[in-house]
Amino acid sequence: MKIGVFVCHCGTNIEGTVDTAAVAAASREFPGVVFATDTMYACSEPGQDGIIEAIKEHKLDGVVVASCTPRMHEPTFRRTLERAGLNRYLFEMANIREHVSWIGKDREANTNKSADLVRMAAAKLLKNRPLFSKQFPVNKSVMVVGGGVAGIQAALDCANGGLKVVLVEKDTTIGGKMAKLDKTFPTVDCSSCVLGPLMVDVAQHPNINLHAYSEIEEVNGYVGNFEIKVKKKASYVDWDACTGCGLCVEKCPSRKATDFFNEKLATTKAINIPFPQAIPKKAKIDPDFCMKIQKDKCGVCAKVCPSEAIDFTQKDEFITENVGAVVAATGFDLFDWTVYGQYGGGKYPDVITSLQYERMLSASGPSEGHIKRPSDGKEPKNVVFIQCVGSRDKSVGRPYCSGFCCMYTAKQTILTKDHIPDSQSHVFYMDIRSPGKLYDEFTRRAMEEYGANYIRGRVSMIYPKGDNLVVRGADTLMGAQVEIDADLVVLAVGAEASVGATDLAKKLRISYDAYGFFMEGHPKLKPVETNTAGVYLAGACQGPKDIPASVAQGSAAASKVLGLFSQDMLASDPQVSVVDIKRCIGCGKCIQTCPFGAIKEIDFRGMKKADVIETICQGCGICTSTCPQGAVQLQHFTDNQILAEVNAICRF
Amino acid sequence: MPILEGKELRIVGFLCNWCSYGGADTAGVGRFKQPTDLRVIKVPCSGRIDPLFIVKTLLAGADGVLVSGCHPRDCHYTEGNFYARRRLEMLKRFLPIMGIDAKRFEYTWVSASEGQRWQEVVTKFTEQIHELGAAPKIVGAEAEETLKLMEAAL
Amino acid sequence: MEIVNITKSYDSSFVKQVEKESGQNMSHCYQCGNCTAGCPYTFVYDQPVNQIMRLVQAGQKETVLKSKSLWLCATCESCTTRCPNNIDVAHIMDVLRHMARREGYAPVPTVKSFWDSFLSSVEKHGRVFEIGLLASYIAKTGRFWTDVDLGPKVLPKGKMHFKPPQIQGKEEVQKIFNRFKEESRK
Amino acid sequence: MSDSLNYAYYPGCSGTGTSIEYDMSTRAICAKLGITLNEIPDWSCCGSTPAHTVDHTLSSALSARNLALVEKMNLSTAITPCPSCLTNLKTATHRMGKDEFRDDVNKLLDTPYNGGVDTKSVLQIIVEDMGLDALKSKVVKPLKGLKVAAYYGCIMNRPPEVMNFDDPEHPMAMDNILTALGATVLPFPLKVECCGASFGIPRKDIVMSLSGKLLDAAQDIGATALVTACPLCQMNLDLRQDQINSANGAKHNIPVFYYTQLIGLALGLDEKELGIDKLCVSPRKVINDIGAEDAS
Ligand SMILES: Cc1cc2nc3c(=O)[nH]c(=O)nc-3n(C[C@H](O)[C@H](O)[C@H](O)COP(=O)(O)OP(=O)(O)OC[C@H]3O[C@@H](n4cnc5c(N)ncnc54)[C@H](O)[C@@H]3O)c2cc1C
Ligand SMILES: Cc1cc2nc3c(=O)[nH]c(=O)nc-3n(C[C@H](O)[C@H](O)[C@H](O)COP(=O)(O)OP(=O)(O)OC[C@H]3O[C@@H](n4cnc5c(N)ncnc54)[C@H](O)[C@@H]3O)c2cc1C
Ligand code: SF4
Ligand code: SF4
Ligand code: SF4
Ligand code: SF4
Ligand code: SF4
Ligand code: SF4
Ligand code: SF4
Ligand code: SF4
């Protein structure tokens, strides 16, 4: 094999701490290498053209690029090789940026290490073989997991693009957090007026199949052909029959059920529909509070239901959906602020969360849009807002900024003034983060037009005094300690990964960060892709995001899915395992260990042998390291290839 | 020269593509400074790592081998790292029998987001190997013998 | 207020010294003000404690060491308990006091005298001799005891002894002080 | 069980003087509750606040001398009523976990301290080692009708990493004890606010302001007595109550007990033994009213 080596400067990213010319020079001595050069930006157009020219000029049949991580540009350079007429697998990368130039400044050591990495890559390349993809058909339907605004947008865009969509939502209604909001920044238009029509579209769209009150149980398969088991949780109501008339709710005598939709500001009936615009509008029984289920009494709902929809014996049901792609849009949850003892730890009824406040402000909320203190129902005059509660706070393990709370706090001060003209809002903030279009103007308006009193500093404690709460904080700009006698305190609680996000990530085989937010494929280049082909992200599940950003990402994910499905056939990854039938003794060990059931037993002239089903094999190589005969080898990562790398650095 | 004589020792890392290789990239993106000794070999999954690779690497002259994969339960291929753990645990117990200091081999879990953790792992392991110094070379028949023993045992 | 020329007045060795003696990383402070918000003594401070943190970050050695606040901090630990960055603020205040002492600053002389009297009482007797402590404090500050009204409440109840406490380990305690003085001279 | 309630006891300097009633009542109730106190022979002052404001090695050495004495007693746990002493003793052990610091401290000592002593407050062992049920079973005179505010002071539980006891913002140990004794415990919002500490002598104005706020808050919630666990707090609130009144134009007349005194009363111990007569603001009326409802 004639190998060409290209050592990239990446501007000064690599060249700054690696002598790329010296690396190229050293490479010329390595076995198989017939050509080596350094290049300014290997991935740029001239860079790629240079590679193609060299392949032609020097009749190269293998290429090593020493540059950034293969996770970034391996696909780029493989395409370059193809354009030059070479098989894409006759290519190796040496990661001399992320693994060398960026982690140390010792130029001598870096240069030497870079040469070493090239030597390893070249040694492996000598053992590489051309590999060829097979085509397989795609199931052109998509599953969207999570029906918040991001999931709704992704589902509608896909459905409008002609795809069949399965939308899975764990609550009884879609809408997510946005359905709970009163008005939204920066326009202060009514949240349900914006979201409501979209939710109706979901309900009516012929291409969307909605499974509400459902969760993902198990995920099998791979891009183009996922097989997903969905659990439809028992609602004790036959939803095919239920018309959402609400008679049962009206008559149910059990009134103390937890009202999650209203953020526990009120209680609800044991059988309930979370809000009038719910989609789907179906009743569900909370078994913990139902007297029939708990004590075998009552049964009123069953008597009054005109559709005979009540079914106290209903069980969870499992169904299987086959789709070609998945969009995860499971959103966020709120930080549990009660860890802050200094804010009362949940003991003071008039210290509430921002989302509870939204419910209070909402005309469809428990107080019908009137702001009332939970303790005594009085209208508050002095309202204190505390920002960054459970955000930007290392001591509670939440060092990140939640992104949207500065903005919604400003919104809430504006709404407070609208609701109670003689009220005064006070906002304790550390910084105001409002970098969107018309955003900073918005926070300025809260101060300038609505008279919100912004105080730069944190609050150290809240304590009750008579009817009120004393909020003690600092005004760091004034250099003083300040106290406010507040009627109501609203905490801008931060966002955290939604409950169960990590479990879902494991099922989907995608990565998540230290806080449980899903990891994108690349922070800049693949913001909606994941590391698992065919799985995309939308909305706050990837990190805190406001509505415009969530919607944008929903659409972006949908366009990725539509792009994927624009082909009828997908090319399989040829980096799969292959059994050498002569060496295989039919022991079956590989069959047992393969996590994907990709190996089956076959009969070969009366002998048992193993055989890999190419489309199912994911290329993990577990079988390869299990086989006692070395009979099953993962292509592109064979024992010989890996040991060639080992020997390149150790054996001389 | 493969390593800078006197400054570096031969340390080989086997990293899974999805988690630890990503974690090492994240460390790079974060410019988390690390010792220069380590040379990384990328494998799809820690389950791809045959314990014999490690033995062969050590016999071939490496002074240390570091294996890193996804955290238990986070494996991209669902359970590869469980196989890895079982095999590597075994290996760790066998190394001393073969006359290899078990401290020359370490396996750990680093996720793609844990750049900082990767920096710590590399730094600590490199220091550990420098404390042990260059490995005594096992050569010729002796090496063959060891390899055979291992092959039988693992 | 004077212009602070940062290039000239930034004292990096001061920042390093504070970090070394306190074991805290000053750059972790993002000036949220939580420490000041909870500090019961802010009302008598000349610099609120978050500004002390800022001044240390900014390497303004002299301004910090001559601050009265250092002497009015009661080590109540409110700041340390609530700092979102887990900075042991009270520890830093303590360390700054040590440095101020070493450099000869004592902007709240009454407090320093009281602490000094207390310690010399311990040094002399092994335990605090309360009446002796008061006498020594009065002698140092020249202030006649401002609490004369308390005398009648304490003395008849047998709460204060006119004789110093007697402990055998007295010399041992003195040795602690002596060795400490020797060590600090090194 | 009482076997295990065996501790080295560190009374602290104020226990021999200005807070003698705290020491007396502590010893009295421990005897009654089967808690064995072995006073550390020849203990010396921990250095209190002044020592750590001078130097941490010196401060820790003054504490470590006492802890070394405990090691000689072959006891694993030392207890003290005073939160200020407790902080010093605990901080010394905590910091001496670092070898370098430990060596520096031991250089100042005749007998080195190895760090093997666990220090706790008397309050903590009553709640944790003995338990509220055991305490409750020994109550003979429930404190019915007594409306108290429990005030913990600033350093009993803070910083939580060092003190490792109860909640740093809303401690409940005394509240729970007092409830077990039959008293009505009111929710006191300023449980952990500083009283002015040892600034009584050099900066009386500070104490007037800070302790004044505490008395106001106790009055606001309708408490008839304050309960403390700290000699300094007690002194500031009780001994200086008149001074506070005249500085702030207030008219407080609220007795300030040590919680140990109230345990003693509920256990039926003699007032004399508990040093009730040593309190400045007379608790007579409050004590006489205990159980009054019962009688009627
Ligand atoms: C108090 C408050 C006020 C706000 N005000 C504004 C504002 O004025 N303007 C603005 O732009 N933004 C605002 N936001 C931010 C806004 O709420 C988010 O941007 C938006 O909700 C993100 O949408 P999402 O679809 O990503 O997530 P979500 O709204 O959280 O929706 C996620 C959905 O997924 C479902 N789900 C979760 N896990 C699973 C699972 N495992 N399986 C199936 N389904 C699952 C959930 O039930 C939910 O329906 C505010 C946020 C808060 C807290
Ligand atoms: C100093 C600086 C540093 C930055 N650093 C970062 C960073 O570290 N990380 C980060 O994420 N972002 C960074 N940014 C922001 C980043 O530059 C932008 O996010 C990004 O460039 C936006 O890309 P764009 O394609 O929208 O616009 P542009 O990059 O502005 O591209 C627009 C293109 O359209 C062309 N064009 C304009 N008008 C016409 C026309 N009428 N007809 C045809 N062509 C037209 C222009 O010539 C240009 O090529 C930085 C910005 C600045 C100024
Ligand atoms: S190939 Fe990679 S290293 Fe080279 S210029 Fe492109 S991004 Fe930079
Ligand atoms: S009464 Fe029947 S149909 Fe009407 S909402 Fe209830 S379950 Fe549905
Ligand atoms: S059976 Fe249950 S849900 Fe139905 S009306 Fe009675 S309590 Fe309500
Ligand atoms: S968005 Fe604002 S309030 Fe929310 S965490 Fe960031 S800075 Fe704090
Ligand atoms: S590489 Fe082997 S174990 Fe892995 S999926 Fe393919 S056949 Fe199964
Ligand atoms: S493990 Fe190897 S020998 Fe056994 S069946 Fe599989 S391929 Fe054949
Ligand atoms: S609380 Fe901590 S971070 Fe905030 S200003 Fe004080 S020291 Fe700095
Ligand atoms: S320890 Fe000192 S600085 Fe900190 S809150 Fe208490 S008095 Fe203020």
Side-chain angles (χ1 to χ4, degrees):
Chain A
M1 185 183 280
K2 286 185 181 159
I3 295 176
V5 174
F6 302 84
V7 188
C8 183
H9 294 201
C10 201
T12 54
N13 276 316
I14 294 171
E15 180 58 33
T17 59
V18 175
D19 184 344
T20 51
V23 175
S27 304
R28 284 179 204 118
E29 310 301 317
F30 300 157
V33 176
V34 298
F35 173 80
T37 180
D38 54 307
T39 166
M40 192 61 170
Y41 293 107
C43 59
S44 67
E45 200 176 321
Q48 294 189 48
D49 287 349
I51 296 173
I52 294 173
E53 269 165 42
I55 291 174
K56 298 205 164 127
E57 192 184 326
H58 300 281
K59 307 223 160 24
L60 304 177
D61 46 16
V63 169
V64 172
V65 174
S67 60
C68 48
T69 172
R71 287 158 58 98
M72 177 134 167
H73 276 318
E74 193 172 59
T76 313
F77 293 121
R78 281 182 171 169
R79 278 194 300 272
T80 311
L81 258 71
E82 278 174 340
R83 275 189 282 136
L86 290 186
N87 184 275
R88 57 194 283 141
Y89 292 95
L90 298 176
F91 171 72
E92 287 298 326
M93 262 176 111
N95 183 348
I96 62 169
R97 194 177 75 176
E98 281 81 352
H99 291 190
V100 182
S101 73
W102 277 351
I103 59 168
K105 292 203 162 42
D106 181 339
R107 197 173 168 86
E108 185 196 8
N110 281 358
T111 303
N112 182 62
K113 178 173 174 183
S114 298
D116 240 13
L117 295 184
V118 173
R119 189 204 312 268
M120 291 160 71
K124 169 160 189 263
L125 182 56
L126 284 175
K127 312 243 177 222
N128 282 9
R129 294 291 164 263
L131 299 176
F132 300 94
S133 303
K134 291 239 169 71
Q135 302 281 309
F136 65 92
V138 194
N139 179 343
K140 291 191 184 182
S141 56
V142 55
M143 178 176 285
V144 177
V145 188
V149 67
I152 289 174
Q153 183 71 29
L156 286 173
D157 282 1
C158 287
N160 290 336
L163 303 181
K164 290 278 174 210
V165 179
V166 182
L167 177 56
V168 178
E169 164 58 54
K170 80 171 166 191
D171 278 348
T172 56
T173 174
I174 57 170
K177 305 292 172 303
M178 192 175 166
K180 301 185 180 191
L181 305 181
D182 176 34
K183 303 214 162 55
T184 54
F185 65 76
T187 43
V188 204
D189 48 355
C190 148
S191 184
S192 56
C193 312
V194 183
L195 186 67
L198 294 181
M199 289 169 62
V200 174
D201 285 354
V202 168
Q204 295 176 345
H205 207 294
N207 282 349
I208 300 181
N209 178 11
L210 171 60
H211 297 303
Y213 207 43
S214 298
E215 276 175 61
I216 305 297
E217 184 71 14
E218 201 182 308
V219 180
N220 282 306
Y222 47 92
V223 57
N225 295 286
F226 289 105
E227 187 184 295
I228 302 180
K229 195 158 141 201
V230 177
K231 175 165 86 180
K232 304 193 85 167
K233 298 182 277 186
S235 62
Y236 306 100
V237 175
D238 174 0
W239 279 12
D240 290 334
C242 175
T243 60
C245 70
L247 260 178
C248 53
V249 183
E250 205 177 294
K251 298 285 189 251
C252 171
S254 169
R255 330 179 143 263
K256 288 269 186 284
T258 318
D259 189 348
F260 292 103
F261 186 76
N262 283 315
E263 293 288 310
K264 304 186 189 168
L265 274 179
T267 54
T268 184
K269 300 286 184 73
I271 185 162
N272 73 78
I273 299 171
F275 63 112
Q277 298 80 22
I279 298 284
K281 195 173 179 189
K282 305 285 175 188
K284 182 205 88 180
I285 294 177
D286 183 339
D288 293 345
F289 292 90
C290 169
M291 296 189 270
K292 179 77 185 172
I293 293 170
Q294 292 298 327
K295 302 181 198 136
D296 200 21
K297 292 197 185 116
C298 187
V300 169
C301 52
K303 282 181 211 124
V304 300
C305 175
S307 328
E308 299 185 350
I310 309 290
D311 174 7
F312 296 113
T313 60
Q314 203 179 63
K315 296 268 170 323
D316 292 349
E317 196 192 321
F318 294 91
I319 53 166
T320 300
E321 294 283 2
N322 292 298
V323 295
V326 179
V327 177
T330 50
F332 66 102
D333 275 314
L334 296 182
F335 176 79
D336 175 15
W337 68 275
T338 57
V339 300
Y340 288 103
Q342 61 268 47
Y343 299 163
K347 281 213 286 272
Y348 311 141
D350 296 334
V351 179
I352 62 170
T353 70
S354 49
L355 200 51
Q356 288 177 320
Y357 199 54
E358 292 280 345
R359 292 315 297 145
M360 219 181 250
L361 291 165
S362 166
S364 64
S367 52
E368 282 148 1
H370 298 291
I371 307 177
K372 289 177 178 172
R373 315 206 304 177
S375 63
D376 55 11
K378 275 199 217 146
E379 192 179 69
K381 297 293 177 206
N382 268 305
V383 184
V384 169
F385 296 87
I386 305 178
Q387 293 197 166
C388 303
V389 175
S391 300
R392 307 179 66 195
D393 187 339
K394 282 189 211 160
S395 71
V396 298
R398 293 285 175 272
Y400 57 83
C401 167
S402 293
F404 47 60
C405 11
C406 278
M407 286 298 292
Y408 74 56
T409 302
K411 172 188 76 178
Q412 293 180 341
T413 67
I414 290 175
L415 295 174
T416 306
K417 198 75 178 175
D418 281 344
H419 282 246
I420 314 172
D422 63 339
S423 67
Q424 176 64 55
S425 296
H426 307 270
V427 180
F428 283 94
Y429 72 101
M430 288 204 288
D431 300 280
I432 298 175
R433 300 198 164 163
S434 51
K437 186 170 173 178
L438 290 178
Y439 280 20
D440 209 52
E441 294 92 320
F442 183 78
T443 56
R444 296 298 315 158
R445 239 176 52 226
M447 291 174 236
E448 293 165 7
E449 281 173 42
Y450 291 82
N453 173 27
Y454 270 69
I455 303 163
R456 201 279 170 202
R458 253 182 125 100
V459 169
S460 81
M461 75 183 289
I462 301 171
Y463 65 93
K465 191 171 180 196
D467 267 356
N468 289 342
L469 293 161
V470 180
V471 179
R472 186 188 291 167
D475 183 329
T476 58
L477 301 180
M478 200 155 79
Q481 206 172 23
V482 291
E483 275 188 356
I484 297 173
D485 297 323
D487 301 310
L488 183 69
V489 178
V490 180
L491 306 177
V493 287
E496 57 182 27
S498 66
V499 174
T502 52
D503 287 340
L504 181 65
K506 284 168 196 163
K507 288 175 187 158
L508 290 170
R509 281 178 268 123
I510 58 178
S511 311
Y512 52 90
D513 68 18
Y515 309 103
F517 290 112
F518 300 152
M519 292 246 314
E520 61 281 13
H522 185 277
K524 269 171 289 210
L525 300 179
K526 291 181 175 176
V528 299
E529 291 98 322
T530 64
N531 276 335
T532 297
V535 180
Y536 304 94
L537 305 176
C541 61
Q542 179 254 355
K545 247 177 233 77
D546 63 7
I547 295 164
S550 301
V551 170
Q553 213 184 7
S555 287
S559 83
K560 286 286 164 189
V561 174
L562 287 161
L564 177 75
F565 291 173
S566 64
Q567 304 133 280
D568 293 324
M569 305 288 275
L570 291 180
S572 68
D573 188 338
Q575 297 176 79
V576 293
S577 281
V578 171
V579 179
D580 178 347
I581 214 123
K582 292 190 292 299
R583 297 183 84 168
C584 173
I585 54 166
C587 70
K589 283 191 175 137
C590 56
I591 301 175
Q592 278 163 23
T593 49
C594 172
F596 303 96
I599 311 181
K600 61 173 193 273
E601 193 185 280
I602 54 163
D603 182 273
F604 179 78
R605 294 178 192 154
M607 285 177 291
K608 277 194 209 158
K609 297 281 173 182
D611 189 34
V612 175
I613 309 162
E614 232 183 287
T615 47
I616 301 184
C617 173
Q618 298 295 297
C620 62
I622 293 170
C623 53
T624 310
S625 41
T626 307
C627 176
Q629 300 297 314
V632 56
Q633 288 289 333
L634 175 61
Q635 303 302 295
H636 212 63
F637 290 98
T638 61
D639 288 347
N640 285 340
Q641 285 170 316
I642 292 172
L643 289 173
E645 290 191 75
V646 169
N647 289 334
I649 25 176
C650 296
R651 276 273 158 102
F652 75 105
Chain B
M1 271 319 285
I3 54 164
L4 284 186
E5 211 65 62
K7 247 190 187 169
E8 290 178 339
L9 290 170
R10 289 183 210 231
I11 305 179
V12 179
F14 292 95
L15 271 58
C16 81
N17 177 46
W18 302 98
C19 293
S20 294
Y21 197 90
D25 281 355
T26 306
V29 173
R31 312 294 199 274
F32 299 143
K33 200 170 180 312
Q34 295 156 43
T36 52
D37 313 45
L38 180 76
R39 312 283 187 257
V40 170
I41 295 176
K42 186 173 80 159
V43 290
C45 173
S46 53
R48 170 68 188 93
I49 298 163
D50 189 331
L52 286 176
F53 291 167
I54 293 149
V55 180
K56 285 180 179 162
T57 308
L58 288 166
L59 291 179
D63 301 307
V65 175
L66 177 65
V67 169
S68 186
C70 310
H71 284 274
R73 279 177 216 298
D74 277 1
C75 177
H76 185 80
Y77 303 100
T78 357
E79 48 201 46
N81 53 4
F82 286 120
Y83 289 109
R85 180 156 69 179
R86 220 170 304 140
R87 291 173 187 151
L88 299 176
E89 256 317 312
M90 279 271 268
L91 173 70
K92 217 164 174 44
R93 259 173 274 151
F94 273 109
L95 285 177
I97 305 175
M98 312 296 139
I100 298 172
D101 191 333
K103 285 214 245 0
R104 296 199 180 274
F105 162 63
E106 209 64 79
Y107 69 92
T108 176
W109 320 119
V110 173
S111 80
S113 65
E114 293 176 324
Q116 204 112 37
R117 185 173 145 79
W118 177 249
Q119 176 192 36
E120 283 156 22
V121 165
V122 173
T123 310
K124 218 180 118 232
F125 186 68
T126 309
E127 275 166 13
Q128 181 172 321
I129 298 304
H130 276 265
E131 255 163 51
L132 296 173
K137 300 290 171 245
I138 305 173
V139 281
E142 209 183 328
E144 290 304 317
E145 198 56 30
T146 307
L147 207 52
K148 259 194 222 130
L149 262 168
M150 281 301 217
E151 223 152 331
L154 289 165
Chain C
M1 243 184 239
E2 253 179 86
I3 296 175
V4 178
N5 182 317
I6 293 185
T7 5
K8 291 195 183 122
S9 64
Y10 175 76
D11 183 342
S12 65
S13 62
F14 170 62
V15 185
K16 284 204 193 91
Q17 190 65 18
V18 176
E19 291 190 331
K20 181 164 166 258
E21 289 187 31
S22 66
Q24 308 296 308
N25 184 334
M26 291 310 302
S27 67
H28 287 183
C29 171
Y30 58 20
Q31 283 298 306
C32 66
N34 206 338
C35 46
T36 292
C39 175
Y41 293 83
T42 304
F43 76 112
V44 287
Y45 278 12
D46 53 357
Q47 322 267 9
V49 52
N50 74 292
Q51 288 186 1
I52 299 273
M53 296 300 115
R54 178 67 198 133
L55 286 163
V56 176
Q57 279 180 338
Q60 304 296 313
K61 181 173 177 183
E62 200 189 328
T63 320
V64 174
L65 294 189
K66 71 179 189 209
S67 168
K68 290 196 169 89
S69 308
L70 306 183
W71 300 87
L72 295 169
C73 161
T75 322
C76 76
E77 305 284 356
S78 162
C79 47
T80 296
T81 305
R82 292 178 185 149
C83 173
N85 292 310
N86 295 324
I87 301 169
D88 192 343
V89 187
H91 193 163
I92 295 176
M93 291 296 275
D94 234 5
V95 160
L96 292 172
R97 262 189 299 247
H98 303 164
M99 295 170 87
R101 241 175 214 282
R102 290 200 298 262
E103 310 248 340
Y105 294 97
V108 191
T110 50
V111 172
K112 179 170 185 290
S113 305
F114 178 69
W115 286 343
D116 290 350
S117 303
F118 186 102
L119 283 181
S120 44
S121 179
V122 178
E123 181 172 1
K124 222 186 205 141
H125 308 292
R127 286 183 197 163
V128 178
F129 171 39
E130 285 165 325
I131 290 184
L133 156 60
L134 286 176
S136 133
Y137 173 70
I138 294 165
K140 273 195 188 141
T141 56
R143 296 167 124 209
F144 187 58
W145 192 29
T146 48
D147 282 335
V148 272
D149 55 323
L150 298 185
K153 296 188 187 219
V154 197
L155 301 176
K157 296 191 191 276
K159 283 186 155 193
M160 279 201 184
H161 305 283
F162 288 95
K163 268 198 283 167
Q166 288 301 328
I167 72 163
Q168 287 153 8
K170 203 158 79 174
E171 281 83 36
E172 255 182 67
V173 176
Q174 272 158 18
K175 272 195 263 171
I176 295 180
F177 279 90
N178 292 339
R179 288 185 194 130
F180 168 68
K181 284 173 204 158
E182 263 169 49
E183 289 288 328
S184 12
R185 238 174 274 130
K186 273 184 202 167
Chain D
M1 197 198 112
S2 59
D3 269 5
S4 61
L5 299 175
N6 189 16
Y7 307 96
Y9 179 63
Y10 182 79
C13 298
S14 58
T16 66
T18 39
S19 69
I20 191 156
E21 65 272 43
Y22 194 12
D23 183 54
M24 290 164 68
S25 53
T26 301
R27 289 178 196 262
I29 64 161
C30 285
K32 184 82 181 176
L33 294 171
I35 300 169
T36 314
L37 301 179
N38 309 282
E39 181 164 342
I40 301 169
D42 208 44
W43 57 271
S44 53
C45 177
C46 68
S48 194
T49 309
H52 72 70
T53 65
V54 170
D55 185 85
H56 289 156
T57 324
L58 174 65
S59 167
S60 290
L62 291 172
S63 291
R65 173 179 181 269
N66 295 296
L67 294 167
L69 292 173
V70 178
E71 281 182 328
K72 258 197 235 161
M73 295 165 78
N74 275 331
L75 286 169
S76 58
T77 308
I79 62 174
T80 176
C82 172
S84 179
C85 303
L86 182 69
T87 303
N88 275 323
L89 297 173
K90 265 195 185 304
T91 307
T93 305
H94 186 76
R95 293 208 173 121
M96 288 173 78
K98 284 217 173 98
D99 293 349
E100 200 186 334
F101 187 81
R102 183 176 58 231
D103 294 345
D104 285 350
V105 172
N106 282 338
K107 256 187 239 163
L108 305 186
L109 296 175
D110 283 357
T111 320
Y113 167 54
N114 302 312
V117 179
D118 200 10
T119 13
K120 291 181 182 164
S121 62
V122 175
L123 182 64
Q124 182 173 5
I125 62 110
I126 292 179
V127 179
E128 289 180 356
D129 296 7
M130 188 171 102
L132 291 174
D133 291 339
L135 175 64
K136 206 167 175 175
S137 70
K138 297 201 167 127
V139 170
V140 297
K141 190 181 163 223
L143 305 180
K144 274 256 159 55
L146 183 66
K147 286 199 244 163
V148 295
Y151 169 60
Y152 294 76
C154 52
I155 50 174
M156 178 72 98
N157 313 293
R158 303 191 307 194
E161 296 77 36
V162 179
M163 304 311 281
N164 231 330
F165 169 55
D166 214 344
D167 186 293
E169 296 288 348
H170 298 278
M172 288 301 290
M174 274 203 284
D175 290 54
N176 293 339
I177 288 181
L178 293 161
T179 308
L181 301 179
T184 307
V185 187
L186 302 166
F188 187 53
L190 302 181
K191 278 179 174 179
V192 296
E193 282 289 287
C194 185
C195 65
S198 58
F199 286 116
I201 293 165
R203 285 294 297 266
K204 208 164 73 175
D205 56 316
I206 294 177
V207 174
M208 301 297 104
S209 165
L210 296 181
S211 285
K213 279 193 193 154
L214 297 172
L215 292 171
D216 293 346
Q219 184 178 356
D220 278 351
I221 59 169
T224 52
L226 263 160
V227 186
T228 69
C230 168
L232 267 174
C233 304
Q234 201 278 345
M235 196 160 73
N236 284 338
L237 293 167
D238 180 38
L239 178 65
R240 294 186 187 279
Q241 206 170 94
D242 280 348
Q243 291 182 337
I244 291 169
N245 282 339
S246 51
N248 303 347
K251 288 205 187 78
H252 297 293
N253 183 29
I254 182 168
V256 186
F257 292 103
Y258 287 104
Y259 76 98
T260 44
Q261 292 178 304
L262 290 181
I263 295 180
L265 289 178
L267 296 178
L269 296 176
D270 184 34
E271 284 188 18
K272 197 101 200 127
E273 230 184 320
L274 300 169
I276 298 285
D277 59 335
K278 309 241 179 227
L279 300 178
C280 292
V281 176
S282 165
R284 201 60 272 144
K285 179 168 178 329
V286 172
I287 294 181
N288 290 345
D289 283 352
I290 292 176
E293 274 172 312
D294 256 8
S296 65

